[in-house]
């Protein structure tokens, strides 16, 4: 069973629906017992980094996620959930879970006439085509993004795929069995379904 | 490259899709789930559902609608229509919508936008404004465009980002239902006053109206209803035309 971590932010029903479409089963829960017994975890979320971290801590879920990561459970973060896996975010000047060596940085692209948030459909470039999460993904697929901050890996080797908005940024990152996607696979139609399917068989 | 978005809009009255001409003379066009799925498969980038039913059961029917749509769709969708409180907005998001559209209530009480943004994040707040051009400039209208206010539309737009809106959906009342093209002048005026993404609405009649609004204004999306519902133009055709004119759009 896959557990979708409910920590009071964002649209969890869509993630569950997409898992179902990909042929899997997922449970939305904030119950530490349910989450601790899950084979895989998804950390979704939209909204502010500081609120997300505070909500995780309040429920004791920050420790739980770190413990499950140490136990080898596969974890996928989506959007804010992905950013929370990094060491630090400029948003609210806040420390993250530190499971992937990366930082979350504010988009500074106004001088290029670009709007923040980066909202809408954009192409990604796959950096690691052999990664299990990116199997059988068509060339330059388009995914749905909504974010004002982006992730930057300390080590370029941890980048799975990138996207361009004013400059290149990491659209997907991974360290071992912990991965984060800045885009929303659950909102990205058939190409999103593919990533969810890959997560099921990861 | 970020794509320009094409957004079909479904006006819903008690579970049925309807479409008005100039906000009057409402006409029924079909089942909303069936239509939504068709648009998703044709390449719609997002969908907007406007619940125009004004019954006491509204909240319940809206929740059912959002639930069903969320189960069927795998592209982002916005739900609006009569949302007047933070709790109603939360209900819509909790049931699976990505964004909530606020209109009349936010015009009367702009703090509603701030409260929803604080609770649910600015990215999910679509401030939807119905705008009429008058002798004394652009004015906001409320109640589905039926009631004109004294509020200066462009000033309101300039303040939208600081209020907490994540996106603007601007409907030109004079253009809506006329099929004579988007309100380029209004959209340009709006574009210089805000950094927020703008969805153009009202007036789409032919494919050229879309390419025109993308080329002549900075809007990031364009919305239409009847021309899609009546299958006068397909989203696929529309996107092919955009590509031929080097307008970046998403292909399937």
């Amino acid at each position: 069973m896959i557990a979708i971590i409910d920590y009071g932010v964002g649209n969890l029903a869509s993630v569950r629906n997409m898992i179902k479409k990909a042929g899997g089963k997922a449970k939305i829960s904030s119950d530490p017992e349910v989450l601790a017994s899950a084979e895989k975890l998804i950390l979704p979320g939209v909204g502010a980094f500081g609120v997300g971290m505070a909500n995780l801590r309040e429920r004791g879920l920050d420790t739980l996620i770190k413990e499950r990561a140490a136990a080898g459970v596969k974890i996928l973060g989506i959007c804010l959930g992905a950013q929370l896996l990094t060491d630090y975010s400029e948003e609210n000047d806040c420390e993250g879970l530190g499971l992937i060596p990366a930082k979350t940085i504010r988009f500074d692209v106004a001088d290029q006439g670009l709007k923040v948030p980066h909202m809408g459909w954009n192409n990604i470039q796959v950096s690691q085509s052999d990664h299990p999460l990116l199997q059988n993904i068509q060339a330059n697929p388009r995914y749905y993004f909504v974010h004002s901050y982006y992730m930057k890996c300390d080590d370029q080797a941890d980048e799975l795929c990138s996207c361009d908005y004013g400059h290149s940024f990491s659209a997907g990152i991974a360290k071992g069995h912990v991965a984060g996607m800045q885009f929303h696979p659950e909102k990205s139609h058939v190409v999103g379904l593919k990533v969810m399917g890959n997560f099921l068989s990861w | 490259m970020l794509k320009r978005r094409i957004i079909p809009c479904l006006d819903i009255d008690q579970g049925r899709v309807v479409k008005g001409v100039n906000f009057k003379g409402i006409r029924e066009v079909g089942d909303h789930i069936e239509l939504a799925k068709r648009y998703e498969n044709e390449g719609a980038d997002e969908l907007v559902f406007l619940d125009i039913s004004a019954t006491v059961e509204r909240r319940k029917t809206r929740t059912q609608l959002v639930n069903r749509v969320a189960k069927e769709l795998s592209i982002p969708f916005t739900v609006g229509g009569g949302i007047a409180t933070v709790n109603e907005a939360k209900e819509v998001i909790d049931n699976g919508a990505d964004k909530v559209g606020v209109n009349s209530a936010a015009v009367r009480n702009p703090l509603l936008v701030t409260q929803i943004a604080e609770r649910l994040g600015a990215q999910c707040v679509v401030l939807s404004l119905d705008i009429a051009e008058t002798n004394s400039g652009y004015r906001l209208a409320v109640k589905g465009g039926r009631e004109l206010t004294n509020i200066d539309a462009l000033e309101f737009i300039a303040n939208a980002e600081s209020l907490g809106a994540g996106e603007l959906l601007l409907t030109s009342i004079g253009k809506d239902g006329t099929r004579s093209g988007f309100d380029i002048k209004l959209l340009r005026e709006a574009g210089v006053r805000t950094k927020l993404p703008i969805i153009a609405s009202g007036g789409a009649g032919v494919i050229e109206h879309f390419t025109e609004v993308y080329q002549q204004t900075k809007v990031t999306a364009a919305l239409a209803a009847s021309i899609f519902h009546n299958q006068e133009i397909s989203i696929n055709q529309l996107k092919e035309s955009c590509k031929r004119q080097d307008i970046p759009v998403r292909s399937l």
Side-chain angles (χ1 to χ4, degrees), chain A residues 11 13-14 17-18 21 46-47 115-123 142 144 146 164-165 186-189, chain B residues 1-3 40 45-46 70-76 96-99 123 167 195-197 250-252:
Chain A
N11 180 348
S14 308
N17 291 335
M18 200 53 141
K21 276 182 201 155
V46 290
K115 294 171 190 296
V116 176
H118 170 222
M119 180 193 284
W121 297 84
N122 207 338
N123 301 86
R142 286 147 290 262
Y144 186 76
V146 187
D164 200 272
Y165 193 64
E186 79 280 15
K187 287 290 160 186
S188 296
H189 202 212
Chain B
M1 184 105 177
L2 192 63
K3 312 299 177 215
E40 178 180 82
D45 298 305
E46 285 184 47
K71 281 204 180 76
E72 297 285 340
L73 281 194
S74 55
I75 55 172
D98 299 278
K99 305 176 196 175
Q123 83 293 331
E167 204 169 1
K195 285 185 284 178
L196 291 174
R250 174 181 74 111
S251 7
L252 282 180

Side-chain angles (χ1 to χ4, degrees), chain A residues 141-176:
Chain A
R142 286 147 290 262
Y143 286 91
Y144 186 76
F145 290 84
V146 187
H147 59 130
S148 300
Y149 292 77
Y150 65 92
M151 303 181 293
K152 187 173 170 34
C153 292
D154 295 351
D155 182 355
Q156 196 61 22
D158 295 334
E159 181 177 283
L160 296 183
C161 53
S162 66
C163 178
D164 200 272
Y165 193 64
H167 52 76
S168 174
F169 69 88
S170 296
I173 62 177
K175 189 82 189 170

